[in-house]
Amino acid sequence: MVTQGSEKRPRTLHLGKYNYHSVEAGGVESVLKTYTEHLKNDIDQIVLVFDRSIQKKITLTENGVTIIRFPVHLIAGYAPVNFFMFFYLRKIINSFSPDIIHVHMPGLMPFFCLCNLKKIKTIVHWQADVDGTRVSKNIAFPFYKILEQRLLNIADVIIVTSFQYLDASRALKPFKKKCTVIPIGINQNQTDVPSEESLSPDIRSFIKNKTLIFSIGRLAYYKGYHFLVQAMGYIEHDNAVLVIGGEGPERKLLEKTIQQYNLKDRVFLPGKISESDKKWLLSKAFIFCLPSIDRAESFGVSLVEAMAYGLPLITTDINGSGMNHVNIHNKTGLKVTPCDSRALANSLNRLLNTPEFSKKLGKNGRQRFLEHFQSRDMAAQIKKHY
């Protein structure tokens, strides 16, 4: 019951992708987790996600946010599916009666409730295109595209993470008037530094007193990590090593590349790492590199995390990727041509050999993070649309 003078709290249902703590979790999951926790005192929220590690639906509360996790029955074009999703969604929507449904794309979950979306205010959070990526070569893509266009037609607002991505998106072109740009932000208090004693022994043993080049992300094709691994064969700095945190389908290719170029003493793949290990590695790294090869890398949340720790960046210059919004060439880092191991090596060597220049880039990056990529600002802008 709403008392006189009080204001009703909006009810928001979030249609996400994977569980925050799963191996598959990436930028979509971290963005959803960050801003829902910011808004938990102002908005009644339920977050729906998939979890490949469970056999039945689980409801829990985490950091003040209600999360319902569904088991995965099928992976279709990198997207999880539960065969009973239609019935789950209908039941949850009827019982929760949301004022807003906040959809996170790409994904398949919203297609199971398109009829409901027509009746409820719908916000689409557009984190990446499918059109133009490897997934669009799938035989089922034309059917997906029809459903995607219906969703965008229904949407009241479409949130995009950068102007660069919006301008280059073929899918969003007919709907630009509905679009608003809200860059991704992270919590400033994420920059604390755990003690070395808490670091995983295998990582500590590999790094020792070496100069660390760090990257983190899902080991997926579009990350271009095998070009970065190859680049380590051209590094002039004998003490430099590379750690790539994360798991994914490209792991075997990366292991083969490490073996082929005899780089087992220079490149380490620890798998999915803990938050504590990630923070320690960011605090000790000299350079952060994200060598992605196409627009499936829509923004690069890990770049913002690295900037928060004052690290100089090396990214690839991909037309239409939000990486170009985050990293400013010769100001916060360097940009190179995609799919070019030599170019990556040249930029890594430049930063390794000019520590004062590297520190200046890192300092500029830290300032850019403080001014443009704060999670509280992202949450406040999203709240305006509620």
Side-chain angles (χ1 to χ4, degrees):
M1 180 176 178
V2 180
T3 59
Q4 189 173 3
S6 66
E7 186 177 338
K8 180 188 174 186
R9 287 158 57 97
R11 290 172 174 262
T12 302
L13 183 66
H14 298 275
L15 309 187
K17 196 173 181 183
Y18 283 109
N19 175 34
Y20 307 146
H21 309 295
S22 67
V23 171
E24 299 85 2
V28 174
E29 290 75 18
S30 68
V31 171
L32 178 54
K33 181 177 188 295
T34 298
Y35 80 75
T36 52
E37 290 178 3
H38 267 288
L39 298 177
K40 64 186 177 183
N41 295 324
D42 303 311
I43 313 289
D44 290 333
Q45 304 174 102
I46 294 179
V47 176
L48 308 184
V49 293
F50 292 101
D51 191 331
R52 296 179 73 176
S53 68
I54 62 175
Q55 300 300 316
K56 62 180 182 178
K57 180 170 69 76
I58 296 174
T59 301
L60 52 84
T61 299
E62 186 174 319
N63 295 327
V65 179
T66 300
I67 302 166
I68 301 177
R69 292 153 56 188
F70 301 102
V72 177
H73 296 148
L74 175 73
I75 300 294
Y78 298 99
V81 176
N82 183 294
F83 295 146
F84 305 109
M85 205 69 238
F86 174 80
F87 302 101
Y88 282 138
L89 286 169
R90 186 171 64 176
K91 185 176 180 180
I92 292 168
I93 290 170
N94 287 338
S95 61
F96 184 55
S97 298
D99 303 299
I100 302 151
I101 295 184
H102 193 140
V103 176
H104 294 262
M105 294 295 286
L108 298 177
M109 193 187 296
F111 301 155
F112 289 90
C113 62
L114 284 174
C115 291
N116 298 93
L117 298 184
K118 292 178 181 178
K119 307 168 188 174
I120 303 170
K121 181 175 181 181
T122 301
I123 296 176
V124 173
H125 211 132
W126 194 266
Q127 301 217 35
D129 288 342
V130 173
D131 193 4
T133 68
R134 181 186 291 184
V135 182
S136 65
K137 296 181 175 64
N138 189 293
I139 193 171
F141 176 69
F143 181 61
Y144 174 93
K145 190 171 182 179
I146 291 170
L147 295 174
E148 180 185 78
Q149 291 294 298
R150 286 185 181 176
L151 172 64
L152 293 172
N153 266 312
I154 291 167
D156 295 279
V157 178
I158 302 168
I159 296 173
V160 191
T161 56
S162 73
F163 285 105
Q164 287 87 342
Y165 209 82
L166 173 58
D167 289 341
S169 173
R170 292 186 299 219
L172 295 180
K173 190 174 182 180
F175 307 99
K176 274 195 172 184
K177 290 183 179 179
K178 292 185 181 183
C179 294
T180 183
V181 174
I182 302 179
I184 294 171
I186 67 169
N187 293 324
Q188 189 173 349
N189 61 9
Q190 288 179 317
T191 55
D192 57 318
V193 181
S195 65
E196 187 171 348
E197 288 71 30
S198 68
L199 187 65
S200 298
D202 54 348
I203 297 177
R204 187 190 308 130
S205 174
F206 179 78
I207 294 174
K208 295 179 182 176
N209 296 316
K210 302 292 179 66
T211 301
L212 174 61
I213 301 164
F214 182 47
S215 191
I216 186 169
R218 190 158 184 267
L219 306 185
Y221 80 94
Y222 68 87
K223 293 289 185 181
Y225 280 133
H226 78 279
F227 294 105
L228 179 56
V229 171
Q230 289 175 5
M232 291 304 294
Y234 307 115
I235 296 301
E236 300 163 356
H237 199 295
D238 293 335
N239 205 39
V241 295
L242 169 66
V243 173
I244 304 174
E247 238 349 313
E250 296 289 295
R251 184 180 183 90
K252 288 186 178 179
L253 172 62
L254 297 179
E255 289 174 340
K256 183 178 179 180
T257 305
I258 292 169
Q259 184 177 11
Q260 179 182 351
Y261 288 85
N262 194 27
L263 295 170
K264 66 181 188 306
D265 295 328
R266 305 205 74 170
V267 181
F268 182 47
L269 307 176
K272 186 173 177 63
I273 61 177
S274 68
E275 191 69 16
S276 177
D277 282 353
K278 180 180 74 173
K279 290 179 178 182
W280 193 91
L281 290 164
L282 285 168
S283 71
K284 300 302 177 183
F286 190 75
I287 300 167
F288 188 89
C289 182
L290 189 59
S292 303
I293 60 175
D294 73 28
R295 286 183 64 253
E297 189 66 78
S298 60
F299 190 86
V301 180
S302 60
L303 296 175
V304 178
E305 293 176 323
M307 291 167 77
Y309 280 86
L311 293 179
L313 309 176
I314 294 178
T315 60
T316 44
D317 190 5
I318 298 171
N319 182 43
S321 171
M323 289 192 298
N324 290 332
H325 172 65
V326 179
N327 184 25
I328 310 300
H329 185 63
N330 275 333
K331 183 175 181 181
T332 60
L334 302 176
K335 294 180 186 178
V336 303
T337 305
C339 308
D340 191 334
S341 298
R342 286 282 190 176
L344 284 168
N346 290 340
S347 291
L348 288 166
N349 283 326
R350 181 183 176 190
L351 295 187
L352 289 167
N353 293 329
T354 55
E356 290 303 316
F357 177 58
S358 299
K359 288 178 183 177
K360 180 181 178 182
L361 295 178
K363 184 178 179 181
N364 291 342
R366 168 70 181 172
Q367 188 60 37
R368 182 163 171 74
F369 157 71
L370 292 172
E371 293 174 358
H372 299 285
F373 303 113
Q374 294 291 298
S375 59
R376 63 175 181 270
D377 297 332
M378 174 182 67
Q381 290 183 67
I382 289 171
K383 184 182 174 183
K384 286 180 182 178
H385 294 288
Y386 289 175

